[in-house]
Amino acid sequence: MTEFTPLPSCADAYESNSLSVVQATQRITDLLSPVTASEIRPLREALDRILDGALISPIDVPPHNNSAMDGYAIHGTDVKSDLFTLQQIGIAFAGHPFKGNIQPGECIRIMTGAMMPAECDTVIMQEHVEVNDTLITIHGNHQQGQNVRLAGEDLQIGETVLTEGHKITPSDLGLIASLGIGELTVKRKLRVAFFSTGDELRSIGETLAPGEIYDSNRYTLYGMLSHLKVEILDMGVVPDQKQALRLALQQASEQADVVLTTGGVSVGDADYVKEMLEELGQVDFWKLAMKPGRPLAFGTINSTLFFGLPGNPVSVMVTFYQFVLPALQQLAGEAVPIRHHMQVNCVSTIRKLAGRFEFQRGILFKDEQGNTQVKTTGEQGSGILRSMSVANCFILLEEDCNGIKPNTMVTVQPFSGLI
Ligand code: AMP
Ligand code: MG
């Protein structure tokens, strides 16, 4: 009988020279120097870009006291606890202030957003009055100063509106427009080049020979990068040949701030990426105690950052979200974004061996009581890209965790909000 002893492989639970996820994150952060160059963009184009320097308000917002209701602007001193009657002497619309003087005992009709007359400090909702021609009878409990939006209550002149490194959101576009500002100074875009490696890879439109597969990694990378405002350089598929890899890496590193490759980074006989990185630049690390994504080559080629991602399609996405995305965000000058984690009840059994940090694919759902729970997507093979498509979160399982029984609290990282 022959005995079969498996060789060490990526499936091993533990390897002593692997870095932990936390250590790897720190090593990457240590090498980042955020971009300093900036450019001026029209306001709409600044969406999702990173603000260069703080934005200071040049005006008060709103610029004048105005009514928060449709109703009647009055002197606050006229307010009585019982019924009281005032004489209406005019009307103010938004954009059309009342021109005239309002004496005590008088009032004007006023619409939401209309400028408050200088003499008045209080607005009575129209639902709280009885109108008899120009005689306005007011009942109910009212307070001086009510229903008025004060000048500068949103922002005051000279106030910091947004801080350095802020990523511009849709609400920011409105806020900045409310200041009358039409252009913003934002950090320059990062240039990110990527290519797939593998003799087995064909592009869409080509016919597959036996043993060949379609390249999907360039499409997921394109998708993930497109959610960031970076310039994308897709360099196609590079075969498993040292010279071809050497040339592609040289070319990519000359043109980009960050170079990403997929595949060829493990210990197979045609895996040359790490060797080429050693030749052209510096390898910082290449083995991680995580699953999926154990082989991940990180280093530099001159001043360009290099991430040699694994070839398996799920590993590409996991390592991108966990390492490349935060690195790109910091490199782009973004103030460190918060990653939202949630603790939820997991209804599935999850198999896991202690030794590696695992990012399993999960589905957050609402149970019959409306509580959020999570279940696994099932098979977790790193080649099963469908597990990412059906998932809406990662289930984060620490290195020392050795499996989850149903109805255990777990930490999840929802996909929404990752970018
Ligand atoms: P490698 O890391 O090069 O050994 O690749 C690991 C696995 O991922 C192999 O099964 C490859 O065929 C597969 N793979 C590598 N690159 C790609 C790609 N661009 N698209 C789809 N699958 C890939
Ligand atoms: Mg390969």
Side-chain angles (χ1 to χ4, degrees), residues 197-201 240 262-265 270-271 311:
T197 72
D199 284 352
E200 76 281 29
L201 302 176
D240 292 318
T262 68
V265 80
D271 291 339

Side-chain angles (χ1 to χ4, degrees), residues 361-363 375-380 386-388 390-392 395:
R361 274 71 68 209
I363 301 173
K375 60 186 176 189
T376 114
T377 56
E379 280 304 315
Q380 295 287 319
R386 202 168 158 272
S387 70
M388 281 298 294
V390 297
N392 57 16
I395 302 175

